[in-house]
Amino acid sequence: LNIVYSLPPRQYGTLAKANAFNEALLARLRAMPGVQAVALGSAIPGAGVNGDDIFKIPEHPPVAPGAALPDALYRLVSPGYFRALKIPLVRGRFFTSEDRPGRPAAVVINRRLARQYFPGENPVGQHIVVPAWGNTVYQVVGVVGNTLYQVGQPGKPTLYFSVLQMGTSVGGAFTLAIRTASDPLALSVPAQKVIAQLDPQMPVSDVQTMRRMLSQSLENQSLSASLVLSFALLSLLLASVGLYGVLSYLTTQRTSEIGVRLALGSSREEVVRLMVSTGLRPALYGLVIGLTASVAAARLIESMLY
């Protein structure tokens, strides 16, 4: 279950206030019956870009003048985000509740970023600087599996920062991801009540399941697939009508032959078998050719699936 809420800057303009609300909310939601895990992030997989920026790696040589600087999506996430969304740990560690102000600034990267910008290296222990955010040097503490920011789009390098260190997200909005043991929609109203108990004025929106969110992102692809299926069924119908017409024409042309065969003692079953085999022979040739071509077509279609 996903729920988006926004922290009004007047009430939660400081890191301490934002963290106090977020941690209290997560603690109450985890205590609800049927809740297996709760995560908090500025965005979740499949929800779109949300934000990206260029960064530097102090351990690497400066980028040549005119060359593109490294660029990555960024996410602000709570401890437990990766476990709740079942994003695997590849190397290093996840964020913990100790990753707060006063502690070394930490960043977790995804596998795509590690392979693209740390080829043949161990990125854990190295550092990243996001110039637009100041001169803070973030130490890479972990590498996690790749996710898609949008279904149907190629994955991108991603930086994850601890929300306990960074504070509010882009626009002050966060997404709650609640993993449940049963129907997630059954917890939609209770979860919103918990938010209202902590702050009755807290804006809440986009209450939906992950399945629903992904289906919305696939609407265009689903429409295209439905159109292709409709045309395929129409083609099958036209081919069947055409085949019937061919058989009917061949039978009409050989009416005299059929009469002679029956007069000479051929049974009706033998005559029907002869007509059908003669008429369907071209169709069988076409079927063999079509099945052969479908092998290549299946590989092409497979590359379009997610």
Side-chain angles (χ1 to χ4, degrees):
L1 179 68
N2 305 324
I3 301 177
V4 177
Y5 68 92
S6 300
L7 294 177
R10 289 186 178 181
Q11 293 90 333
Y12 303 96
T14 65
L15 179 59
K17 291 180 179 179
N19 284 347
F21 178 87
N22 290 332
E23 290 187 289
L25 176 60
L26 292 175
R28 293 196 182 192
L29 291 175
R30 290 192 186 103
M32 294 176 61
V35 173
Q36 295 180 327
V38 181
L40 179 67
S42 57
I44 59 175
V49 173
N50 190 255
D52 68 318
D53 219 324
I54 59 174
F55 63 92
K56 298 180 180 179
I57 304 172
E59 288 83 0
H60 290 186
V63 178
L69 289 171
D71 180 81
L73 305 180
Y74 60 82
R75 303 281 186 262
L76 275 61
V77 302
S78 65
Y81 175 90
F82 303 107
R83 290 190 178 92
L85 294 174
K86 296 186 177 181
I87 301 174
L89 179 67
V90 177
R91 180 176 290 178
R93 67 173 178 85
F94 292 137
F95 290 125
T96 69
S97 58
E98 299 299 318
D99 293 308
R100 296 174 177 271
R103 303 283 295 179
V107 61
V108 172
I109 64 177
N110 70 344
R111 183 183 292 166
R112 185 179 297 273
L113 189 148
R115 289 180 176 177
Q116 184 170 341
Y117 298 114
F118 296 92
E121 304 177 57
N122 180 7
V124 176
Q126 299 198 52
H127 299 84
I128 283 176
V129 176
V130 182
W133 299 0
N135 297 320
T136 304
V137 180
Y138 299 90
Q139 184 180 48
V140 179
V141 298
V143 180
V144 297
N146 297 325
T147 61
L148 295 178
Y149 70 93
Q150 183 174 338
V151 178
Q153 298 296 325
K156 289 189 175 183
T158 306
L159 299 167
Y160 296 93
F161 299 93
S162 172
V163 70
L164 298 179
Q165 285 187 326
M166 298 291 293
T168 58
S169 68
V170 179
F174 288 104
T175 300
L176 279 170
I178 306 173
R179 181 152 52 87
T180 65
S182 56
D183 180 15
L185 288 178
L187 286 175
S188 61
V189 174
Q192 292 179 75
K193 288 183 177 179
V194 170
I195 298 175
Q197 290 171 0
L198 291 172
D199 187 342
Q201 305 301 319
M202 181 68 66
V204 175
S205 62
D206 296 337
V207 181
Q208 59 183 340
T209 64
M210 179 71 81
R211 184 181 298 276
R212 173 58 182 164
M213 184 188 72
L214 295 179
S215 66
Q216 288 178 340
S217 65
L218 287 171
E219 283 181 351
N220 290 336
Q221 292 88 339
S222 298
L223 177 60
S224 299
S226 299
L227 290 175
V228 170
L229 178 61
S230 300
F231 285 123
L233 292 175
L234 180 59
S235 299
L236 180 62
L237 177 61
L238 292 176
S240 301
V241 173
L243 182 59
Y244 171 80
V246 170
L247 287 175
S248 177
Y249 175 76
L250 290 176
T251 303
T252 303
Q253 292 294 103
R254 301 175 66 176
T255 302
S256 299
E257 178 188 345
I258 294 172
V260 173
R261 287 180 179 276
L262 291 175
L264 293 177
S266 297
S267 64
R268 293 174 58 86
E269 290 76 10
E270 291 174 339
V271 173
V272 170
R273 190 180 305 113
L274 175 64
M275 292 296 103
V276 171
S277 62
T278 303
L280 289 182
R281 190 176 294 115
L284 291 176
Y285 293 153
L287 182 61
V288 172
I289 296 173
L291 289 175
T292 303
S294 69
V295 175
R299 294 179 180 177
L300 175 63
I301 294 173
E302 184 179 9
S303 66
M304 302 178 183
L305 301 179
Y306 314 114

